[in-house]
Amino acid sequence: MLKSVPAPVIGVDLGGTAIKLGCFQPDGTLVAERQVPTPQPSTPEAVVAAMAAAIADLDPQNHVKTIGVGTPGPADAQGRIARVAINLAGWQDVPLADWLESQTQRSVIIANDANCAGLGEAWLGSGRSFQDLILLTLGTGVGGAIILKGELFVGRDGTAAELGLITLNPDGPACNSGNQGSLEQYGSIQAIERRTGMEPALLGARAQAGDPEAIAFWQAYGRELAAGIASLVYVLTPEAVIIGGGISASAPFFLPALEAELQRRVLPSSRQGLQLRVAELGNRAGMVGAAKLALVHQGLG
């Protein structure tokens, strides 16, 4: 009797300027991928139509039965509704899974894009050796994901793991979230530009060239980041903390200070065996994680 071959899945990473799609076998093998522009204006109807067309192009023979989608904002705990999508026009409580299912005739599950990035790193990236980990994405904002016992933790209502919004300084700069002095206000690209007048890439290049001021900045950045991560470590005691996002390109200049500060701030009993890693999947992490989300939904994850 022939054994049935597990069906592949599609992972979709919905961004403000591009939609990335990948078709994956259950073992993580990438079969095919596409990238299409995000429609402008990026209304829900236009985006769903673009995603459906790209899915049809990626899988014309309808081999795929399940699709995972990472969206730039919170989703509900059931993975059906995009509550808000940052940098997309008119997104408020959009029943994205239902709409996409209707247009593709495939099962759909959605999650926040940072959560998908965490799933991706845990599955095929630098977190694949760990069951309990935290991912911090350092970019335009500071996002995060929590993986506990190999599973994505999203909380009772789907909105947990907003790690960039924890308070670092109660008297710090105002945050769009309504918080003040959040980790995002010290760790994001915009925060670095506000504080130094330079883009992180330029500061990284200057540090690489031996500029003492740039080196000093990154050391201070690592210490501040560690102050926020220390709180997370005390609460979650993960095996690993993974640093991703565009700013992670400068990790060689801030990770040593970050690690030293964590050792100073966190009791050895709470950080026993803790590993600091740089994310490996780059801008594919969300797509990979969305595929893993689909596999879990399909019962193969």
Side-chain angles (χ1 to χ4, degrees):
M1 183 175 179
L2 293 175
K3 295 178 65 177
S4 61
V5 178
V9 297
I10 287 176
V12 181
D13 182 17
L14 171 58
T17 59
I19 303 170
K20 304 181 188 72
L21 307 92
C23 182
F24 292 83
Q25 297 288 3
D27 65 359
T29 301
L30 178 63
V31 178
E33 63 182 317
R34 299 285 189 277
Q35 179 170 314
V36 298
T38 303
Q40 304 299 330
S42 50
T43 62
E45 294 81 2
V47 168
V48 169
M51 290 170 64
I55 288 164
D57 178 57
L58 186 63
D59 179 40
Q61 302 301 318
N62 293 316
H63 295 307
V64 169
K65 305 303 179 188
T66 311
I67 299 166
V69 181
T71 67
D76 68 324
Q78 289 71 43
R80 307 298 300 170
I81 297 171
R83 292 181 163 180
V84 179
I86 300 165
N87 298 325
L88 299 179
W91 286 68
Q92 189 76 37
D93 293 327
V94 175
L96 180 59
D98 288 347
W99 287 6
L100 200 54
E101 284 179 351
S102 177
Q103 293 207 25
T104 65
Q105 306 306 307
R106 296 164 168 90
S107 179
V108 176
I109 182 82
I110 72 171
N112 169 267
D113 56 0
N115 284 338
C116 286
L119 269 179
E121 290 291 340
W123 183 30
L124 299 178
S126 58
R128 58 188 175 273
S129 300
F130 309 105
Q131 286 290 298
D132 299 315
L133 62 90
I134 295 168
L135 170 76
L136 272 182
T137 57
L138 308 174
T140 304
V142 173
I146 298 170
I147 307 292
L148 298 177
K149 296 182 179 178
E151 297 183 359
L152 182 65
F153 175 75
V154 297
R156 61 181 175 82
D157 206 25
T159 57
E162 290 287 356
L163 305 185
L165 302 184
I166 66 171
T167 302
L168 191 61
N169 176 6
D171 298 317
C175 180
N176 290 335
S177 66
N179 194 8
Q180 188 174 352
S182 65
L183 181 60
E184 184 168 280
Q185 294 305 308
Y186 292 86
S188 68
I189 291 173
Q190 293 176 344
I192 291 173
E193 291 176 345
R194 183 187 70 241
R195 300 171 73 186
T196 68
M198 287 183 279
E199 296 179 352
L202 177 58
L203 280 166
R206 290 194 173 189
Q208 182 69 46
D211 183 330
E213 291 186 4
I215 292 171
F217 166 79
W218 286 118
Q219 290 173 340
Y221 179 87
R223 290 192 294 271
E224 289 175 343
L225 200 59
I229 292 174
S231 297
L232 301 174
V233 170
Y234 271 127
V235 172
L236 297 167
T237 60
E239 297 171 272
V241 175
I242 298 172
I243 305 297
I247 296 174
S248 67
S250 293
F253 307 115
F254 64 78
L255 273 188
L258 192 162
E259 184 169 16
E261 190 70 5
L262 278 179
Q263 290 177 355
R264 187 181 76 83
R265 287 179 177 269
V266 180
L267 288 168
S269 55
S270 293
R271 57 174 167 81
Q272 184 175 4
L274 179 66
Q275 301 290 307
L276 293 178
R277 300 286 176 87
V278 178
E280 294 179 358
L281 299 179
N283 62 11
R284 283 187 169 183
M287 179 181 75
V288 172
K292 179 63 173 178
L293 188 72
L295 285 170
V296 172
H297 187 59
Q298 192 167 271
L300 297 174

